[in-house]
Amino acid sequence: MTIEEAQRTVDDWIRTYGVRYFSELTNMTVLMEEVGELARVMARKYGDQSFKPGEKDNLADEMADVLWVLLCLANQTGTDLTEAFRRNLEKKTSRDKDRHKNNPKL
Ligand SMILES: [Mg+2]
């Protein structure tokens, strides 16, 4: 699935099952909530915390939750994430092409 297809899939789902998008600010809050859920799994899986009884390692699902809300926000704000990602990659490459190679800490 391409990023464009993912944006279209989310839009189709929202129109079919979601009635309408939550407002942009609500979805921004939901994005923070989902990032927090992802952070909780990371802290337990890779950090010093352990899973509580009943909790499970659902790292991939939490990442998908974050992606879902981000795709919603992109659709709501008229953002073409395919183009945005391409431009962002160009920016990172021109800015950082030697930076990390020259970092003695890496
Ligand atoms: Mg979640």
Side-chain angles (χ1 to χ4, degrees):
M1 184 183 288
T2 65
I3 298 172
E4 181 182 355
E5 288 168 341
Q7 283 194 242
R8 200 175 323 119
T9 297
V10 165
D11 196 59
D12 290 344
W13 193 96
I14 294 291
R15 290 173 195 285
T16 303
Y17 304 108
V19 182
R20 66 169 177 80
Y21 286 92
F22 295 132
S23 71
E24 293 85 348
L25 285 177
T26 296
N27 268 341
M28 190 67 215
T29 305
V30 174
L31 178 61
M32 295 303 97
E33 179 183 331
E34 294 298 349
V35 168
E37 292 174 5
L38 174 59
R40 183 181 58 215
V41 175
M42 291 294 292
R44 283 151 173 62
K45 185 169 184 175
Y46 298 101
D48 300 324
Q49 292 188 344
S50 58
F51 287 100
K52 295 174 186 169
E55 284 184 339
K56 57 185 179 208
D57 174 1
N58 57 348
L59 183 67
D61 191 53
E62 293 300 354
M63 286 184 178
D65 281 344
V66 170
L67 179 60
W68 174 274
V69 185
L70 187 62
L71 291 166
C72 285
L73 283 167
N75 288 345
Q76 292 175 271
T77 57
T79 301
D80 177 349
L81 275 181
T82 303
E83 181 62 14
F85 189 73
R86 187 188 64 73
R87 287 185 184 184
N88 185 273
L89 195 58
E90 282 178 7
K91 178 187 73 179
K92 282 179 171 59
T93 302
S94 67
R95 184 188 62 197
D96 300 332
K97 65 182 186 313
D98 297 320
R99 179 170 158 236
H100 302 304
K101 289 180 193 168
N102 295 331
N103 179 356
K105 294 187 279 185
L106 293 178

